[in-house]
PDB file of all heavy atoms in Angstrom:
ATOM      1  N   LYS A 858      34.349 -41.028  -2.544  1.00 98.00           N
ATOM      2  CA  LYS A 858      34.795 -42.205  -3.284  1.00 98.00           C
ATOM      3  C   LYS A 858      33.627 -43.233  -3.409  1.00 98.00           C
ATOM      4  O   LYS A 858      33.408 -43.986  -4.323  1.00 98.00           O
ATOM      5  CB  LYS A 858      36.022 -42.832  -2.769  1.00 98.00           C
ATOM      6  CG  LYS A 858      36.696 -43.902  -3.559  1.00 98.00           C
ATOM      7  CD  LYS A 858      37.992 -44.239  -2.925  1.00 98.00           C
ATOM      8  CE  LYS A 858      38.754 -45.191  -3.936  1.00 98.00           C
ATOM      9  NZ  LYS A 858      40.047 -45.508  -3.425  1.00 98.00           N
ATOM     10  N   ALA A 859      32.965 -43.308  -2.227  1.00 98.00           N
ATOM     11  CA  ALA A 859      31.864 -44.367  -2.098  1.00 98.00           C
ATOM     12  C   ALA A 859      30.717 -43.904  -3.078  1.00 98.00           C
ATOM     13  O   ALA A 859      30.095 -44.785  -3.753  1.00 98.00           O
ATOM     14  CB  ALA A 859      31.276 -44.348  -0.639  1.00 98.00           C
ATOM     15  N   ALA A 860      30.349 -42.625  -3.099  1.00 98.00           N
ATOM     16  CA  ALA A 860      29.304 -42.138  -4.024  1.00 98.00           C
ATOM     17  C   ALA A 860      29.640 -42.448  -5.438  1.00 98.00           C
ATOM     18  O   ALA A 860      28.890 -42.889  -6.314  1.00 98.00           O
ATOM     19  CB  ALA A 860      29.001 -40.698  -3.835  1.00 98.00           C
ATOM     20  N   ASP A 861      30.960 -42.134  -5.814  1.00 98.00           N
ATOM     21  CA  ASP A 861      31.502 -42.516  -7.235  1.00 98.00           C
ATOM     22  C   ASP A 861      31.376 -43.991  -7.458  1.00 98.00           C
ATOM     23  O   ASP A 861      31.060 -44.385  -8.569  1.00 98.00           O
ATOM     24  CB  ASP A 861      32.912 -41.968  -7.347  1.00 98.00           C
ATOM     25  CG  ASP A 861      32.914 -40.454  -7.380  1.00 98.00           C
ATOM     26  OD1 ASP A 861      31.920 -39.798  -7.637  1.00 98.00           O
ATOM     27  OD2 ASP A 861      34.179 -39.865  -7.244  1.00 98.00           O
ATOM     28  N   LEU A 862      31.657 -44.810  -6.454  1.00 98.00           N
ATOM     29  CA  LEU A 862      31.634 -46.236  -6.740  1.00 98.00           C
ATOM     30  C   LEU A 862      30.241 -46.709  -6.954  1.00 98.00           C
ATOM     31  O   LEU A 862      30.065 -47.504  -7.908  1.00 98.00           O
ATOM     32  CB  LEU A 862      32.297 -46.954  -5.506  1.00 98.00           C
ATOM     33  CG  LEU A 862      32.327 -48.458  -5.736  1.00 98.00           C
ATOM     34  CD1 LEU A 862      33.336 -48.871  -6.816  1.00 98.00           C
ATOM     35  CD2 LEU A 862      32.690 -49.160  -4.335  1.00 98.00           C
ATOM     36  N   VAL A 863      29.299 -46.214  -6.276  1.00 98.00           N
ATOM     37  CA  VAL A 863      27.833 -46.598  -6.523  1.00 98.00           C
ATOM     38  C   VAL A 863      27.437 -46.099  -7.814  1.00 98.00           C
ATOM     39  O   VAL A 863      26.756 -46.884  -8.680  1.00 98.00           O
ATOM     40  CB  VAL A 863      26.912 -45.952  -5.367  1.00 98.00           C
ATOM     41  CG1 VAL A 863      25.432 -46.178  -5.825  1.00 98.00           C
ATOM     42  CG2 VAL A 863      27.146 -46.496  -3.926  1.00 98.00           C
ATOM     43  N   ALA A 864      27.837 -44.952  -8.274  1.00 98.00           N
ATOM     44  CA  ALA A 864      27.441 -44.344  -9.622  1.00 98.00           C
ATOM     45  C   ALA A 864      28.159 -45.220 -10.711  1.00 98.00           C
ATOM     46  O   ALA A 864      27.509 -45.548 -11.687  1.00 98.00           O
ATOM     47  CB  ALA A 864      27.922 -42.965  -9.733  1.00 98.00           C
ATOM     48  N   ALA A 865      29.288 -45.759 -10.514  1.00 97.00           N
ATOM     49  CA  ALA A 865      30.106 -46.366 -11.589  1.00 97.00           C
ATOM     50  C   ALA A 865      29.678 -47.867 -11.604  1.00 97.00           C
ATOM     51  O   ALA A 865      29.563 -48.424 -12.699  1.00 97.00           O
ATOM     52  CB  ALA A 865      31.645 -46.244 -11.311  1.00 97.00           C
ATOM     53  N   GLN A 866      29.606 -48.434 -10.346  1.00 97.00           N
ATOM     54  CA  GLN A 866      29.454 -49.950 -10.488  1.00 97.00           C
ATOM     55  C   GLN A 866      28.159 -50.497 -10.025  1.00 97.00           C
ATOM     56  O   GLN A 866      27.857 -51.615  -9.980  1.00 97.00           O
ATOM     57  CB  GLN A 866      30.469 -50.628  -9.557  1.00 97.00           C
ATOM     58  CG  GLN A 866      31.871 -50.476 -10.103  1.00 97.00           C
ATOM     59  CD  GLN A 866      32.924 -51.141  -9.315  1.00 97.00           C
ATOM     60  OE1 GLN A 866      32.657 -52.010  -8.512  1.00 97.00           O
ATOM     61  NE2 GLN A 866      34.196 -50.888  -9.645  1.00 97.00           N
ATOM     62  N   GLY A 867      27.196 -49.645  -9.508  1.00 97.00           N
ATOM     63  CA  GLY A 867      25.815 -49.956  -8.936  1.00 97.00           C
ATOM     64  C   GLY A 867      25.906 -50.228  -7.581  1.00 97.00           C
ATOM     65  O   GLY A 867      26.981 -50.453  -6.975  1.00 97.00           O
ATOM     66  N   LEU A 868      24.745 -50.207  -6.942  1.00 97.00           N
ATOM     67  CA  LEU A 868      24.542 -50.280  -5.484  1.00 97.00           C
ATOM     68  C   LEU A 868      25.053 -51.744  -5.012  1.00 97.00           C
ATOM     69  O   LEU A 868      25.656 -51.792  -4.011  1.00 97.00           O
ATOM     70  CB  LEU A 868      23.158 -49.983  -5.085  1.00 97.00           C
ATOM     71  CG  LEU A 868      22.849 -50.126  -3.550  1.00 97.00           C
ATOM     72  CD1 LEU A 868      23.770 -49.090  -2.796  1.00 97.00           C
ATOM     73  CD2 LEU A 868      21.397 -49.803  -3.355  1.00 97.00           C
ATOM     74  N   GLU A 869      24.697 -52.747  -5.746  1.00 96.00           N
ATOM     75  CA  GLU A 869      24.925 -54.044  -5.170  1.00 96.00           C
ATOM     76  C   GLU A 869      26.538 -54.358  -5.069  1.00 96.00           C
ATOM     77  O   GLU A 869      26.976 -54.809  -4.099  1.00 96.00           O
ATOM     78  CB  GLU A 869      24.316 -55.174  -6.098  1.00 96.00           C
ATOM     79  CG  GLU A 869      24.434 -56.498  -5.553  1.00 96.00           C
ATOM     80  CD  GLU A 869      23.678 -57.622  -6.425  1.00 96.00           C
ATOM     81  OE1 GLU A 869      22.673 -57.247  -7.000  1.00 96.00           O
ATOM     82  OE2 GLU A 869      24.200 -58.767  -6.532  1.00 96.00           O
ATOM     83  N   ALA A 870      27.189 -53.965  -6.153  1.00 97.00           N
ATOM     84  CA  ALA A 870      28.709 -54.176  -6.081  1.00 97.00           C
ATOM     85  C   ALA A 870      29.359 -53.230  -5.003  1.00 97.00           C
ATOM     86  O   ALA A 870      30.215 -53.691  -4.374  1.00 97.00           O
ATOM     87  CB  ALA A 870      29.270 -53.843  -7.527  1.00 97.00           C
ATOM     88  N   ALA A 871      28.842 -51.996  -4.988  1.00 97.00           N
ATOM     89  CA  ALA A 871      29.390 -51.107  -3.981  1.00 97.00           C
ATOM     90  C   ALA A 871      29.047 -51.615  -2.602  1.00 97.00           C
ATOM     91  O   ALA A 871      29.910 -51.507  -1.759  1.00 97.00           O
ATOM     92  CB  ALA A 871      28.844 -49.712  -4.268  1.00 97.00           C
ATOM     93  N   ALA A 872      27.900 -52.144  -2.358  1.00 97.00           N
ATOM     94  CA  ALA A 872      27.551 -52.613  -1.030  1.00 97.00           C
ATOM     95  C   ALA A 872      28.418 -53.734  -0.555  1.00 97.00           C
ATOM     96  O   ALA A 872      28.835 -53.783   0.609  1.00 97.00           O
ATOM     97  CB  ALA A 872      26.152 -53.103  -1.086  1.00 97.00           C
TER      98      ALA A 872
END
Side-chain angles (χ1 to χ4, degrees):
K858 191 171 185 179
D861 287 345
L862 184 65
V863 173
Q866 295 187 10
L868 183 59
E869 188 175 326

